[in-house]
Amino acid sequence: MKLASARLAIEGISHSVDGGRFAAKVVTGQPDLFQADVFSDGHDIIAAALLWRRTGEERFDEVPMVFLINDRWQASHVFDQPGDHQIAFAAWRDLFATWRKEISAKHAAGQSIALELTEGRQLIETALGSRGRANTKDKAALKALLKQDDALAKEGDAERFAALTGPDVAELMTRAAPRTDLTQSEILPLHVDRPAAAFSAWYELMPRSQSGSMERHGTFDDVIARLPYIRDLGFDVLYFPPIHPIGRTNRKGPNNSLTAGLDDPGSPYAIGSQDGGHDAIHPELGNFDDFRRLIHAAHDHGLEIALDFAIQCSPDHPWIKEHPEWFDWRPDGSIKFAENPPKKYEDIVNVHFYRDALPGLWYALRDVVLFWVNHGVRIFRVDNPHTKPFPFWEWMIAEVRRVDPGVIFLAEAFTRPKVMKRLAKVGFSQSYSYFTWRNHKAEITDYLTELTQTDSRLVMRPNFFVNTPDINPRFLQSSGRPGFRTRLALAATLGGNYGIYNGYEICEAAPVPGKEEYLDSEKYQLRVWDMDQPGNIQDDIRLMNRLRRDHPALQQFTDLTFHTARNDQVLAYAKRAGDDFVLIHVNLDPHNVQTFQFEVPLWEFGLPDDASIEVRDLIQGNSFTWHGKNQTLELDPDTRPYAIWQLIAPGAPRP
Amino acid sequence: MKLASARLAIEGISHSVDGGRFAAKVVTGQPDLFQADVFSDGHDIIAAALLWRRTGEERFDEVPMVFLINDRWQASHVFDQPGDHQIAFAAWRDLFATWRKEISAKHAAGQSIALELTEGRQLIETALGSRGRANTKDKAALKALLKQDDALAKEGDAERFAALTGPDVAELMTRAAPRTDLTQSEILPLHVDRPAAAFSAWYELMPRSQSGSMERHGTFDDVIARLPYIRDLGFDVLYFPPIHPIGRTNRKGPNNSLTAGLDDPGSPYAIGSQDGGHDAIHPELGNFDDFRRLIHAAHDHGLEIALDFAIQCSPDHPWIKEHPEWFDWRPDGSIKFAENPPKKYEDIVNVHFYRDALPGLWYALRDVVLFWVNHGVRIFRVDNPHTKPFPFWEWMIAEVRRVDPGVIFLAEAFTRPKVMKRLAKVGFSQSYSYFTWRNHKAEITDYLTELTQTDSRLVMRPNFFVNTPDINPRFLQSSGRPGFRTRLALAATLGGNYGIYNGYEICEAAPVPGKEEYLDSEKYQLRVWDMDQPGNIQDDIRLMNRLRRDHPALQQFTDLTFHTARNDQVLAYAKRAGDDFVLIHVNLDPHNVQTFQFEVPLWEFGLPDDASIEVRDLIQGNSFTWHGKNQTLELDPDTRPYAIWQLIAPGAPRP
């Protein structure tokens, strides 16, 4: 061991993920609080700073840290560029501050300070010396200080003390003095993403179902015609399942049947045909000109297109002939289909990532993503990433980020918790989560507490989808319209990212009997949708997306607090960002009126339990006053399944 | 990034301290459970192992891990040699086990398995090949297996299936098959200590007070005469404050007064005089022959001597003249005394660890410790380590351990929690703790939960001292004899390590008025003790030390569970090691009888709430049966301030 290394302790770093093995994630434009335990032996005064730089840069920028409590220090910083960064912490003993504290104590106790004054001068002289950090102006100031001290010698120690211990001198010495026992922490990686990685509202549809007719396969132009509707609902991201050519061999028919008719379109997840593979467009949707037009039109509507990245291939994918070494082959020379014995999936085959597929397949897959990045797509929803190797994702995502640090990957990994979290660690920007199956008060509270309060918050950004083409949640199958409204409100207000799959707005819930699958799923056939039909919940969706845009509290994920509502069917929670404080009550019971007492979190504003606070009903728009902590409310699933309030801090400008 | 590295994830390692920056601690002879989250992509069967070696060795030994739940794996291992070790974890995909699972599912579903059988053969052939791990015997077995499979070909697939999927084949292939995607975790340091680091009972006395007369300075021979008494009480470690020559300059008088009479012995913490420094013995105690005799006599009584390592020097310490560069000097040429402005400590000066003191002072201090190690001392209580640099301790303790890995260091760092914990991280074997000031039910529960359940348990082994020469706890100043008995019981049963400072057994509690200091403290004067005086609690001490020796449950620290006692003045907790289950009730109120309902933790034995369980009263010695979970007890501070029970698992041999 090297003697005398790292005299100060820097530990318990807030943004350390597995000891720096993985990067924590932040977004540009939002202040992040970086904390560490910093301390030294003994009782000297110390100072600390956050260091940060873009990966590859030599020099660190520095943000001073402030002491909080119990040896915890904090710095706040806003990053302004997406991309890979590095952070570290530095700490040192501040001899001048220590001297100032000690001489002040002695002076106050009436003890002699003559020697101490000389020692203070020595510290100033050291700051002027070769180890000092003074710039030209600081040096002049330090010299003037010594000269002034010489002049004051005839007046007395009290005068010298006053001159040497002023706040301006302290500030000057903080800048100019050498940093004694300077200690630096390990360097940690930090991913800085663009804001959409943490805050976005997704709408999912199948382009082929957008023609308005069962007789005609939808096209990108049909999607363009739908953009005003989607934009009017207030979404940011429009996501399509795969748009590539669909295999013919063993094509699936309606409702996942094993035989497809000649006109059945097949599952878009059986990627690849004689028309091409992952870098081709299914001919019936349009061509690359059409796609380009769609990208631009979406952009003009304030929408961003997200594509699916699903690695499996149909048996007709060109890669199988071009690169047999990327696939598994049976002893009889046949290709190995996807399977989960004894279940078989005969319309798809999986690639093999190792042996002779390495590195050719890895490069090819990366290049597929970069191909679409080149075509203007910067968000990818990744199908089943948990069945592909973690090292592949870590490498591939880093490669893509090197080209464009603004690319966002959403992991569709409905698997075990640690596997899901690992994918977030290796680089996925967002994760589908278990939200879709968390319906009760206790399970929502527990799950959101885990996501927002444990170290999960450093890496995993959930995207709360209320439904997907694969998940027709059992809760919604029996909840009716009120359940659709409450699940929407929960997703939109609890999640930084959330999404719906089309049909949700008209409360579509017809299942394959006994399953969580949609009947007549678009995965296997065309559909025609009438989103304006009676009972639709477009108003709720518009409201949610408007509130999300208007309220910084709803634009972040982790500052979430659950509050008391004395009813097991009612969830109460608040989100806060600066002055913006939003309190939400949701009736989780879609069938019964729930009346409940709740607590107004007056203590969050430093108010006593009997205080009054101004509150704005963000649904109705009216304002009024709550008097006292305990209030009562009734939520009727049919007319008012949820309530959203803004609490106005006393003295704050009225919104 | 390297492609394809580390396909499996190994994370959440149970013995990782700050990502491997520091070593976790275990002791020889006790099984430790090593856990990690281990998983891969996809659904293949995986296997994992704990790897361990002594630091410096090339080869790892291997312990197979078993799957627990939720991707958590565990291996149990008992280390048999103290010293620095390294551990790591390995994991790999088990292709043969996966094949066995899949072919079995297909066979059970009546599907054809002809191709699968061929694939199984291929795996066996691979195990026989150059990448296989088969020894000569395994190879013969594998060849025989293939031959048998050839022979079975004419009988049919079912017969071949049965022969290739037997448990013996699985076991053979586990040994012989290559480890696919073998992944190794980072290597972590692990300190293996001798058992006394984690389990010991300390008795502290001042040798100079052992003459039995105020007229005569005690000697090592006087201490030898006390050994039978201390051993009879059941202690393992006998600890002395510093035994070195005491300075004369600014020597402290009785009760810490600023002027000492000519006969006042001074504080033993003002180390160093013309008679020598840290490697000398205070002449009035004896010489090195006497000391050697004491060490041997203690050993013959089953006691180990612990010395104090206090770095500060009296102004008369020889080092000051020999090594002025190890000290701080004022501008007027005077030495800088220890101080905490405006308080001054004029009988001691502190060394300076950096500048010109590095490395000379570091070597000298290490050599002081090694000097006493050479004289047979292997336990050191270190005075105020938190005012000396962490890097010094980390280096020094490692240096000493290289010479003798059995040396134990106890940190006397009554300072902030993170500083205390850091000292444990840098290598201290034991820590004084806040136990002395944790008196109430909630604060004891919270503190012990932190110590036993958080990652503190990996590094910090508290030594629960009920009192010290510096701490005359306020609780004991007013508790009377019952308080001394309960605090003893708490320390001895909650702590792996615990200790008392002499006088405790006669309930000595006379304070300097208003302070936590003892009146007429031995720190500044001689004392004469009569430990057999009426009201002594020697019986309690003997009982505690006997129970600790008899019960494995009390020989470990972390397997502690608090149980329900429906009275805020009564603490109920249990410790368990294997079959040994000890339940303890302590009346924390030294003034009033407390009656309470408590729960018998029947569920710990898999018993229903209305079951009966045999119980032994470990104080009275009698056995009886508790019927049902809810029981009532009365604890009278004067006659029975605590109760200790052994619960006998149904079917276990009666003790």
Side-chain angles (χ1 to χ4, degrees):
Chain A
M1 209 195 95
K2 220 178 76 196
L3 289 189
S5 60
R7 179 164 185 181
L8 282 79
I10 303 175
E11 53 179 42
I13 294 173
S14 59
H15 286 64
S16 173
V17 181
D18 291 1
R21 164 70 182 84
F22 299 105
K25 294 168 186 159
V26 302
V27 292
T28 55
Q30 226 179 57
D32 283 282
L33 300 178
F34 296 85
Q35 298 188 344
D37 297 329
V38 183
F39 50 92
S40 186
D41 55 287
H43 305 287
D44 284 359
I45 292 179
I46 62 171
L50 164 72
L51 311 178
W52 69 270
R53 66 185 177 196
R54 294 179 64 88
T55 303
E57 286 178 354
E58 184 80 24
R59 221 187 108 268
F60 278 112
D61 270 22
E62 190 176 304
V63 185
M65 300 185 86
V66 295
F67 174 78
L68 297 177
I69 194 174
N70 188 19
D71 291 315
R72 195 90 179 137
W73 292 67
Q74 174 174 288
S76 174
H77 185 62
V78 181
F79 288 89
D80 60 6
Q81 295 280 325
D84 289 347
H85 286 66
Q86 293 178 322
I87 59 168
F89 296 87
W92 57 93
R93 290 194 307 141
D94 187 335
L95 298 192
F96 191 78
T98 303
W99 169 84
R100 192 167 172 248
K101 178 186 72 168
E102 295 188 351
I103 193 175
S104 299
K106 289 174 181 174
H107 186 61
Q111 297 175 3
S112 160
I113 54 168
L115 288 175
E116 284 72 12
L117 288 168
T118 307
E119 287 164 342
R121 277 191 70 107
Q122 288 170 349
L123 292 171
I124 294 167
E125 283 159 5
T126 304
L128 267 168
S130 62
R131 290 168 48 239
R133 306 165 61 251
N135 60 25
T136 313
K137 206 178 135 206
D138 291 337
K139 280 186 178 161
L142 290 168
K143 281 178 191 158
L145 191 62
L146 291 172
K147 210 167 159 186
Q148 180 195 29
D149 185 56
D150 288 334
L152 287 172
K154 57 177 181 298
E155 306 212 14
D157 287 353
E159 287 72 15
R160 291 179 64 199
F161 168 79
L164 290 178
T165 57
D168 49 331
V169 179
E171 211 172 289
L172 172 61
M173 283 295 282
T174 295
R175 276 199 310 278
R179 292 177 166 180
T180 304
D181 297 316
L182 180 64
T183 301
Q184 192 184 301
S185 75
E186 68 269 31
I187 296 173
L188 297 169
L190 185 79
H191 275 319
V192 182
D193 286 309
R194 61 183 171 116
F199 180 67
S200 60
W202 290 43
Y203 187 84
E204 175 176 5
L205 60 72
M206 295 259 192
R208 69 189 185 187
S209 288
Q210 305 307 314
S211 76
S213 157
M214 290 295 283
E215 308 305 312
R216 188 170 66 77
H217 193 285
T219 65
F220 289 145
D221 280 325
D222 293 321
V223 175
I224 290 173
R226 297 294 295 155
L227 295 176
Y229 166 73
I230 299 159
R231 184 54 194 173
D232 173 62
L233 290 179
F235 289 100
D236 315 308
V237 176
L238 174 57
Y239 151 56
F240 309 141
I243 58 169
H244 314 300
I246 295 170
R248 171 57 69 182
T249 303
N250 299 330
R251 177 178 283 191
K252 295 292 181 73
N255 289 304
N256 202 18
S257 55
L258 283 177
T259 47
L262 265 185
D263 291 339
D264 286 330
S267 163
Y269 289 93
I271 295 171
S273 76
Q274 61 187 24
D275 295 316
H278 286 76
D279 56 359
I281 292 173
H282 186 63
E284 290 179 277
L285 289 172
N287 58 29
F288 277 93
D289 285 336
D290 301 326
F291 185 71
R292 195 170 301 117
R293 207 165 54 251
L294 168 58
I295 292 277
H296 291 153
H299 183 262
D300 292 344
H301 285 80
L303 282 160
E304 191 171 344
I305 299 295
L307 287 191
D308 210 305
F309 183 54
I311 293 180
Q312 67 271 15
C313 299
S314 97
D316 308 323
H317 197 292
W319 279 349
I320 296 174
K321 286 210 179 85
E322 292 164 12
H323 295 285
E325 73 278 14
W326 295 354
F327 297 88
D328 280 321
W329 299 88
R330 309 298 306 273
D332 65 349
S334 66
I335 197 161
K336 185 175 169 70
F337 287 93
E339 61 175 8
N340 182 14
K343 276 168 72 179
K344 302 176 180 191
Y345 306 101
E346 289 187 318
D347 64 337
I348 50 170
V349 299
N350 282 318
V351 295
H352 181 98
F353 281 84
Y354 289 85
R355 299 197 301 250
D356 296 337
L358 183 67
L361 172 70
W362 294 39
Y363 291 142
L365 291 171
R366 174 200 62 187
D367 292 345
V368 163
V369 173
L370 290 175
F371 175 88
W372 292 106
V373 169
N374 245 337
H375 283 80
V377 178
R378 301 177 76 212
I379 305 182
F380 296 87
R381 177 269 197 192
V382 178
D383 192 63
N384 272 339
H386 55 293
T387 58
K388 287 88 191 171
F390 303 117
F392 166 71
W393 295 119
E394 190 169 10
W395 169 83
M396 195 277 278
I397 292 172
E399 288 276 297
V400 172
R401 280 217 176 102
R402 222 191 311 279
V403 175
D404 180 351
V407 177
I408 291 169
F409 294 91
L410 163 62
E412 189 246 10
F414 291 115
T415 179
R416 310 190 304 281
K418 288 167 186 171
V419 177
M420 187 186 279
K421 190 169 165 189
R422 179 83 175 191
L423 290 164
K425 288 180 184 176
V426 302
F428 278 90
S429 331
Q430 302 180 359
S431 309
Y432 284 75
S433 68
Y434 305 129
F435 170 77
T436 319
W437 300 281
R438 297 293 179 271
N439 295 303
H440 303 300
K441 182 170 179 169
E443 64 192 21
I444 296 173
T445 306
D446 287 352
Y447 189 48
L448 267 293
T449 300
E450 177 195 327
L451 290 173
T452 60
Q453 307 304 316
T454 73
D455 70 346
S456 174
R457 64 187 275 164
L458 297 173
V459 288
M460 202 160 120
R461 299 190 190 105
N463 192 326
F464 287 162
F465 263 79
V466 288
N467 69 329
T468 79
D470 296 313
I471 311 171
N472 177 3
R474 288 183 202 279
F475 176 82
L476 295 177
Q477 292 179 22
S478 64
S479 73
R481 188 172 182 270
F484 279 80
R485 296 178 71 195
T486 56
R487 293 295 299 173
L488 170 77
L490 289 169
T493 59
L494 285 170
N497 304 293
Y498 91 105
I500 74 170
Y501 158 57
N502 78 174
Y504 190 89
E505 62 264 58
I506 53 171
C507 308
E508 166 76 15
V512 174
K515 298 202 168 178
E516 275 197 328
E517 289 274 333
Y518 284 104
L519 189 65
D520 302 331
S521 167
E522 284 185 299
K523 285 195 290 181
Y524 311 105
Q525 65 189 76
L526 305 185
R527 288 286 296 269
V528 170
W529 298 99
D530 173 12
M531 300 309 185
D532 297 326
Q533 70 185 54
N536 74 67
I537 61 166
Q538 292 182 19
D539 284 346
D540 293 88
I541 296 171
R542 270 185 288 268
L543 172 69
M544 287 302 145
N545 287 332
R546 179 174 60 73
L547 292 181
R548 285 167 54 89
R549 270 174 220 272
D550 290 349
H551 286 275
L554 300 178
Q555 290 164 17
Q556 56 79 40
F557 177 58
T558 55
D559 194 338
L560 167 72
T561 310
F562 289 96
H563 288 291
T564 299
R566 297 197 168 80
N567 182 324
D568 279 349
Q569 294 290 346
V570 175
L571 191 69
Y573 52 96
K575 293 182 95 170
R576 182 173 204 160
D579 282 342
D580 188 34
F581 192 105
V582 177
L583 176 68
I584 297 151
H585 295 117
V586 179
N587 177 359
L588 302 173
D589 175 0
H591 305 297
N592 302 293
V593 175
Q594 297 289 342
T595 306
F596 59 99
Q597 277 202 311
F598 67 94
E599 288 185 353
V600 182
L602 294 168
W603 60 90
E604 297 268 11
F605 301 87
L607 295 174
D609 287 359
D610 59 354
S612 297
I613 192 162
E614 193 182 341
V615 56
R616 192 166 156 229
D617 182 334
L618 292 179
I619 298 172
Q620 305 294 333
N622 57 312
S623 294
F624 58 97
T625 300
W626 274 328
H627 300 283
K629 189 177 75 167
N630 293 305
Q631 300 291 334
T632 301
L633 187 68
E634 176 184 290
L635 291 177
D636 181 334
D638 290 323
T639 57
R640 192 196 199 191
Y642 55 82
I644 306 182
W645 320 98
Q646 181 179 13
L647 273 62
I648 316 293
R654 296 182 54 161
Chain B
M1 208 195 94
K2 220 177 75 194
L3 288 189
S5 61
R7 179 163 184 182
L8 282 80
I10 304 175
E11 53 178 43
I13 295 174
S14 58
H15 286 64
S16 173
V17 181
D18 292 0
R21 165 69 181 86
F22 298 105
K25 294 169 186 160
V26 302
V27 292
T28 55
Q30 225 178 59
D32 283 282
L33 300 178
F34 296 85
Q35 298 188 343
D37 297 328
V38 183
F39 50 91
S40 185
D41 55 287
H43 306 287
D44 283 1
I45 291 179
I46 63 171
L50 164 71
L51 310 178
W52 69 269
R53 67 184 177 196
R54 294 179 64 88
T55 303
E57 286 179 353
E58 183 81 21
R59 222 188 108 265
F60 278 112
D61 270 23
E62 191 175 303
V63 184
M65 301 186 84
V66 295
F67 175 77
L68 297 177
I69 194 174
N70 190 19
D71 292 314
R72 195 87 179 141
W73 292 66
Q74 175 175 286
S76 174
H77 186 61
V78 181
F79 288 89
D80 59 7
Q81 295 279 327
D84 289 347
H85 286 66
Q86 293 178 321
I87 59 168
F89 297 88
W92 57 94
R93 290 195 308 141
D94 186 336
L95 297 192
F96 190 78
T98 302
W99 169 84
R100 192 167 173 249
K101 178 185 72 168
E102 295 188 350
I103 193 175
S104 300
K106 288 174 181 174
H107 186 62
Q111 296 175 5
S112 159
I113 55 168
L115 288 175
E116 284 72 12
L117 288 167
T118 308
E119 287 164 344
R121 277 190 69 107
Q122 288 171 350
L123 292 171
I124 294 166
E125 284 157 5
T126 304
L128 267 168
S130 61
R131 289 168 49 239
R133 305 164 62 253
N135 60 26
T136 313
K137 205 177 136 204
D138 292 338
K139 279 186 179 163
L142 291 169
K143 281 176 192 160
L145 191 62
L146 291 173
K147 209 168 160 188
Q148 179 195 31
D149 186 55
D150 289 334
L152 287 173
K154 58 179 180 297
E155 306 212 14
D157 288 352
E159 287 72 16
R160 292 180 63 200
F161 169 79
L164 291 177
T165 57
D168 49 331
V169 179
E171 210 173 289
L172 173 61
M173 284 295 283
T174 295
R175 276 200 308 279
R179 293 178 165 178
T180 304
D181 297 317
L182 179 63
T183 301
Q184 191 185 301
S185 75
E186 68 269 32
I187 296 173
L188 297 170
L190 185 78
H191 276 318
V192 182
D193 286 308
R194 60 183 172 117
F199 179 66
S200 61
W202 289 44
Y203 187 83
E204 175 175 6
L205 60 72
M206 295 258 190
R208 68 187 185 190
S209 288
Q210 305 307 314
S211 76
S213 157
M214 291 295 283
E215 307 306 312
R216 187 169 68 76
H217 193 284
T219 66
F220 289 146
D221 280 326
D222 293 320
V223 175
I224 290 174
R226 297 294 295 154
L227 295 176
Y229 166 73
I230 299 158
R231 183 53 195 174
D232 174 61
L233 289 179
F235 289 101
D236 315 308
V237 176
L238 174 57
Y239 150 56
F240 308 141
I243 58 169
H244 314 299
I246 295 170
R248 171 58 67 181
T249 304
N250 300 329
R251 178 179 282 191
K252 293 293 181 73
N255 288 305
N256 202 17
S257 56
L258 284 177
T259 47
L262 266 184
D263 291 340
D264 286 330
S267 163
Y269 288 93
I271 294 171
S273 76
Q274 60 186 24
D275 295 315
H278 285 76
D279 55 359
I281 292 173
H282 187 62
E284 291 179 274
L285 289 172
N287 58 30
F288 276 95
D289 285 336
D290 301 326
F291 185 71
R292 197 170 302 117
R293 207 166 53 251
L294 169 59
I295 292 276
H296 291 153
H299 183 262
D300 292 343
H301 284 80
L303 282 161
E304 192 171 344
I305 299 294
L307 288 191
D308 210 305
F309 184 54
I311 294 181
Q312 67 271 14
C313 299
S314 97
D316 308 323
H317 197 293
W319 280 349
I320 296 173
K321 285 210 179 87
E322 293 164 13
H323 294 287
E325 74 277 14
W326 296 354
F327 298 88
D328 279 321
W329 300 88
R330 310 297 306 273
D332 66 350
S334 66
I335 197 161
K336 186 176 169 69
F337 287 93
E339 61 174 9
N340 182 14
K343 277 169 71 180
K344 300 176 182 191
Y345 306 101
E346 289 188 318
D347 64 336
I348 50 170
V349 298
N350 282 319
V351 295
H352 182 98
F353 281 84
Y354 289 85
R355 300 196 301 251
D356 295 337
L358 182 69
L361 172 70
W362 294 39
Y363 291 141
L365 290 171
R366 174 200 62 189
D367 292 345
V368 162
V369 173
L370 289 176
F371 174 88
W372 292 106
V373 169
N374 245 338
H375 282 80
V377 178
R378 301 176 77 212
I379 305 182
F380 296 88
R381 177 268 198 193
V382 178
D383 192 63
N384 272 340
H386 56 292
T387 57
K388 288 87 191 172
F390 303 116
F392 166 71
W393 295 119
E394 190 169 10
W395 170 83
M396 195 277 278
I397 293 172
E399 288 275 297
V400 172
R401 281 216 176 104
R402 221 190 313 278
V403 175
D404 180 351
V407 177
I408 291 169
F409 294 90
L410 162 63
E412 188 245 12
F414 292 115
T415 177
R416 309 190 305 281
K418 288 166 186 171
V419 177
M420 186 185 280
K421 190 170 167 190
R422 180 83 175 190
L423 289 164
K425 289 180 185 177
V426 301
F428 279 90
S429 330
Q430 301 180 0
S431 309
Y432 285 73
S433 69
Y434 307 128
F435 170 77
T436 320
W437 301 279
R438 296 293 180 271
N439 296 302
H440 302 300
K441 182 170 180 169
E443 64 192 22
I444 296 173
T445 307
D446 287 352
Y447 189 47
L448 267 293
T449 300
E450 177 195 328
L451 290 173
T452 60
Q453 306 305 314
T454 72
D455 71 346
S456 174
R457 64 188 275 164
L458 297 173
V459 288
M460 202 162 122
R461 297 189 191 106
N463 192 327
F464 285 163
F465 263 79
V466 288
N467 69 329
T468 78
D470 295 314
I471 311 171
N472 177 3
R474 288 184 200 278
F475 175 81
L476 295 177
Q477 292 178 23
S478 63
S479 73
R481 187 171 182 269
F484 280 79
R485 297 179 70 195
T486 55
R487 294 295 297 173
L488 170 78
L490 290 170
T493 58
L494 285 171
N497 305 293
Y498 91 105
I500 73 170
Y501 158 57
N502 79 175
Y504 191 88
E505 62 264 59
I506 53 172
C507 307
E508 166 75 16
V512 174
K515 298 201 169 178
E516 275 197 328
E517 289 273 332
Y518 285 105
L519 189 65
D520 302 331
S521 167
E522 286 186 298
K523 286 194 291 182
Y524 311 106
Q525 66 188 74
L526 306 186
R527 287 287 294 271
V528 169
W529 298 99
D530 172 12
M531 299 310 185
D532 298 326
Q533 69 185 54
N536 74 67
I537 60 166
Q538 292 182 18
D539 284 347
D540 293 88
I541 296 171
R542 269 185 288 269
L543 172 70
M544 287 302 144
N545 286 333
R546 179 173 60 72
L547 293 180
R548 285 167 54 89
R549 270 174 219 271
D550 290 350
H551 285 275
L554 300 179
Q555 291 164 15
Q556 56 79 40
F557 178 59
T558 54
D559 194 339
L560 167 73
T561 309
F562 289 96
H563 287 292
T564 298
R566 295 198 171 78
N567 181 325
D568 279 349
Q569 295 291 346
V570 176
L571 191 68
Y573 52 96
K575 294 182 94 169
R576 182 174 205 159
D579 282 342
D580 187 35
F581 192 104
V582 177
L583 177 68
I584 297 152
H585 295 117
V586 180
N587 178 359
L588 301 173
D589 175 0
H591 304 298
N592 302 292
V593 175
Q594 296 290 342
T595 306
F596 58 98
Q597 277 202 310
F598 66 94
E599 289 184 353
V600 182
L602 295 168
W603 60 91
E604 296 268 12
F605 300 87
L607 295 173
D609 287 358
D610 60 353
S612 298
I613 192 163
E614 193 183 339
V615 57
R616 189 165 158 231
D617 181 334
L618 291 178
I619 299 173
Q620 305 296 333
N622 57 312
S623 293
F624 58 96
T625 301
W626 273 329
H627 300 285
K629 190 178 73 168
N630 293 304
Q631 300 290 334
T632 300
L633 187 69
E634 177 185 289
L635 292 178
D636 180 334
D638 290 324
T639 57
R640 190 195 200 191
Y642 54 83
I644 306 182
W645 320 99
Q646 181 180 13
L647 273 62
I648 315 292
R654 295 182 54 164

